[in-house]
Amino acid sequence: MKEIEIYCHNTRSKHTYPMGASLMDISRDLNIQLKNVVCGAIVNNQVRELSFCLVKPKHIEFFDVSHPDGIRMYIRSLIFVLYAAVKESFPHVLLRIRKGISNGYFCELSGFGREITEPDIHAIKNEMHELIAQNIPFIKKGLLTEDVVDHLVKEGLEEKAQLFEQKGHLYSSLYFLNDLGNYFYGHLLPSTGYISNFDLVKYFDGLLLRVPNPDNFNELQEAPEQKKLFEIYQEHKDWAQILDVATVSNLNEFTLKKKGGYIIKISEALHEKKIAEIANQIHERDGDIRMVLVAGPSASGKTTFSKRLGVQLAVNGLRPFQVSLDDYFVDREHTPRDEHGNFDFESLDAIDIDFFNEQLLDLLKGKEVQLPKFDFHRGRRFMNGDHLRLRTGDILIVEGIHGMNPRLLPRIEEKSTFKIFISALTQISMDEHTHISTSDNRLIRRIIRDSKYRGYGAAETIKRWPSVRKGEERNIFPYQENADVMFNSATPYELGVLKKYADPLLKLVLENQTEYMEAMRLLKFLSFFKPIDDEEIPPTSLIREFLGGSSFLY
């Protein structure tokens, strides 16, 4: 029997196995011990399931459920079990996974016909526990696409079926849990028995599927109620209904019919209407508001939003002036460091809070101040000669990631500020069971912007992203509910537009780079979108901040 050589990163050693050996066989033979049970592997910088069989020499690194791709496997598999449990408990009800919120996943039971009760939830959870106890394998099958589509239609998953039809492949894959088929755009765990911890609770008018803490799978992630975030999601659910674009397949239908321009026009009009409403709220506070704070995570479109808000404030007779928190960074040598000894630019302590508050107090008293500018190349703050004095009718727009943090303005009266949190809360879903991560939306935006304006390749942006996300979880998202208003900068059409720009950048990531597997995941995700031409996107659009062609100066 022919043998192949593998290198195992976990053991730092080479081994020889018969051709056709599975990753499961190898992990058991090598007795791979991780913090949690082994659930998958990175093979030549691509994620593979443990059922994957080797026919060529490979570089292998096994991972468990605490790994980013491990937790993705866990969540997909958990949703499949939830789908199966709902199907068994309430056969005529369709499970819909709407969004990620409160460190979990908001679910609706379409066609339920009444309010969900605790006994209903208990019945679903019991069925889930039974499926997990049976340790049923998730079986992946390659089938003719027409057979996959027929199966999904019979299951009532018409949106998923339509997406497979639009792909146009002769063969497609489907996962089976007993006789129930489904697909989740990524890998699954070997079997239901790998699911060790979850909860299902009532959440507003639906359910919240709670998931474990990746750092400690014995604990569930905290589930704070995020009322304002939920409301903004619901608002954009209404927008999706206005546009008739709730899923990727809906969007693709408009694109195939050459009606992408219609979606762009309506989406941009809804954005403008919302920004105008926010400006009206500020104006109606009868001069009490002297300062608007705009905060949000990376690639959320804060800068363009601030400029568009300034236009609408001017329409209301106010004179807006913009200030960036980035210009109040402390000099580089005073920047705090993270646990790895690297500069932590996303810490609030990287901002000279005392100096910032002194300048704000002077401005609010009608004094003239000389505004600072931060030189990122030299790591120094300097005065560039710009002066500012606020008069009656003037209003300051302060943009920066810490705008919702109460520690930012210890010397400023709350009643003189208006707080706006902005993020790209993706409005459309892949299908009935797969929401689109807002983090993925922002990462794709940032890959394009970093390439166009900062000279970074996709691999470098992907490499930095986990650190960016960690900073956001620590410094931004805990304070988002402090906002007076939330604004969703995402549009239903944008991923169809971003695809054209992101695809060639992601394809430049090489197989021997550790970022290759993330690039391949994003490419696969974008492959389900039909490209949308960007000619009709107006120069004031938030998406122009990333694509170029904006009429605003940055």
Side-chain angles (χ1 to χ4, degrees), residues 345-527:
F345 296 109
E346 294 184 321
S347 167
L348 180 60
D349 295 321
I351 302 293
D352 190 338
I353 295 175
D354 288 338
F355 177 58
F356 178 58
N357 277 261
E358 285 174 11
Q359 288 220 317
L360 290 182
L361 284 171
D362 285 344
L363 285 169
L364 294 179
K365 291 175 183 176
K367 296 181 180 179
E368 183 176 89
V369 302
Q370 186 174 186
L371 297 174
K373 194 75 177 174
F374 194 83
D375 184 331
F376 286 90
H377 180 70
R378 294 172 53 241
R380 290 282 184 275
R381 190 174 66 221
F382 67 98
M383 298 299 180
N384 67 350
D386 288 343
H387 291 75
L388 177 62
R389 173 180 287 149
L390 296 182
R391 298 177 173 83
T392 302
D394 292 349
I395 191 164
L396 204 60
I397 300 176
V398 180
E399 178 224 324
I401 67 172
H402 299 292
M404 304 299 105
N405 192 326
R407 286 180 53 212
L408 178 67
L409 302 175
R411 299 164 65 183
I412 306 298
E413 287 187 279
E414 182 79 14
K415 68 177 184 178
S416 66
T417 65
F418 189 90
K419 301 184 185 71
I420 304 169
F421 186 84
I422 174 173
S423 191
L425 306 173
T426 317
Q427 298 171 34
I428 61 175
S429 301
M430 289 297 290
D431 57 38
E432 296 90 343
H433 298 151
T434 308
H435 84 295
I436 294 176
S437 164
T438 63
S439 176
D440 284 350
N441 196 339
R442 292 189 294 110
L443 174 55
I444 291 167
R445 284 181 172 187
R446 181 158 170 158
I447 286 169
I448 296 167
R449 184 181 65 189
D450 282 359
S451 172
K452 190 172 185 68
Y453 297 109
R454 301 177 184 179
Y456 298 154
E460 191 169 357
T461 302
I462 290 170
K463 183 179 181 179
R464 294 179 181 205
W465 192 242
S467 176
V468 172
R469 293 281 294 117
K470 189 173 182 179
E472 292 170 352
E473 294 292 342
R474 184 171 58 244
N475 299 307
I476 302 175
F477 294 126
Y479 306 106
Q480 62 185 1
E481 287 290 312
N482 291 340
D484 294 294
V485 168
M486 287 190 176
F487 179 82
N488 187 355
S489 69
T491 62
Y493 70 80
E494 72 174 86
L495 286 164
V497 172
L498 295 176
K499 171 187 173 70
K500 179 176 70 173
Y501 293 87
D503 275 2
L505 299 175
L506 292 166
K507 288 175 181 175
L508 292 176
V509 181
L510 303 177
E511 186 182 18
N512 63 359
Q513 294 178 284
T514 56
E515 296 78 23
Y516 180 76
M517 62 180 179
E518 183 69 353
M520 291 302 101
R521 185 183 71 83
L522 293 173
L523 276 169
K524 183 178 180 180
F525 162 63
L526 288 170
S527 73

